[in-house]
Amino acid sequence: MAPSYEALRLGHSDSTVAACLQDAFRLPALSTSVAEARRHVVLRLRSWGVDQDTRDSAELVVSELFTNAVRHTSSDEVRCSLQLMGTRLRLEVADKGCARTVPQARSSVSVDQEGGRGLMLVEALSQAWGVRPHTGGTGRAVWAYLA
């Protein structure tokens, strides 16, 4: 049985509450900021003692989510937050911009298409992922949980 979203969000593992480490940062909504976001996430996770496989997955997930926020919204900055709750990592990328559609993983992409695989990768690497309205009222936040 998969754990509930609420249990994941709160960091509950069975009946105990896991320790929670958190970090958040903001960067300009520029394509050059994607590499900076990746570096920040990898360095923070390394400092928390997160294993290499999880760091690699997190680096790819944050890269895809950050890229989407830069490319597909009118936001001037992008916020990224990380929470390590026991052995679960929650990544969230939030923008303040307006996009025409809600992010969705495609069911298939042709070999000839240049893009469109990012959320498929996020889905493959994550225990769960989703979209919620941004707390500030405009924009949205895309979150993912990694084991």
Side-chain angles (χ1 to χ4, degrees):
M1 177 180 205
S4 72
Y5 167 76
E6 193 63 17
L8 287 170
R9 187 181 70 76
L10 294 173
H12 289 267
S13 174
D14 296 330
S15 62
T16 61
V17 177
C20 183
L21 300 171
Q22 299 181 48
D23 187 32
F25 59 93
R26 297 173 192 272
L27 293 170
L30 304 170
S31 58
T32 55
S33 295
V34 176
E36 190 174 342
R38 281 194 307 260
R39 278 191 299 276
H40 186 99
V41 167
V42 168
L43 289 172
R44 177 61 62 219
L45 295 180
R46 186 178 295 134
S47 76
W48 289 347
V50 173
D51 66 88
Q52 183 68 47
D53 287 341
T54 304
R55 288 195 317 258
D56 291 345
S57 294
E59 181 179 19
L60 183 54
V61 167
V62 80
S63 180
E64 294 301 333
L65 298 182
F66 209 95
T67 297
N68 284 351
V70 169
R71 279 191 186 161
H72 301 296
T73 73
S74 59
S75 189
D76 58 347
E77 81 174 5
V78 178
R79 182 179 188 273
C80 183
S81 63
L82 308 108
Q83 292 178 315
L84 182 62
M85 300 162 289
T87 60
R88 284 199 177 85
L89 174 64
R90 183 178 194 278
L91 299 169
E92 182 174 280
V93 174
D95 62 70
K96 295 180 186 176
C98 299
R100 295 186 312 259
T101 60
V102 173
Q104 293 181 335
R106 294 184 182 176
S107 57
S108 66
V109 179
S110 75
V111 178
D112 299 348
Q113 284 182 289
E114 231 178 83
R117 293 172 184 81
L119 290 177
M120 290 171 65
L121 289 170
V122 170
E123 191 169 79
L125 294 170
S126 303
Q127 289 181 323
W129 76 279
V131 183
R132 66 171 182 78
H134 187 272
T135 309
T138 60
R140 68 176 138 240
V142 182
W143 53 266
Y145 283 97
L146 305 178

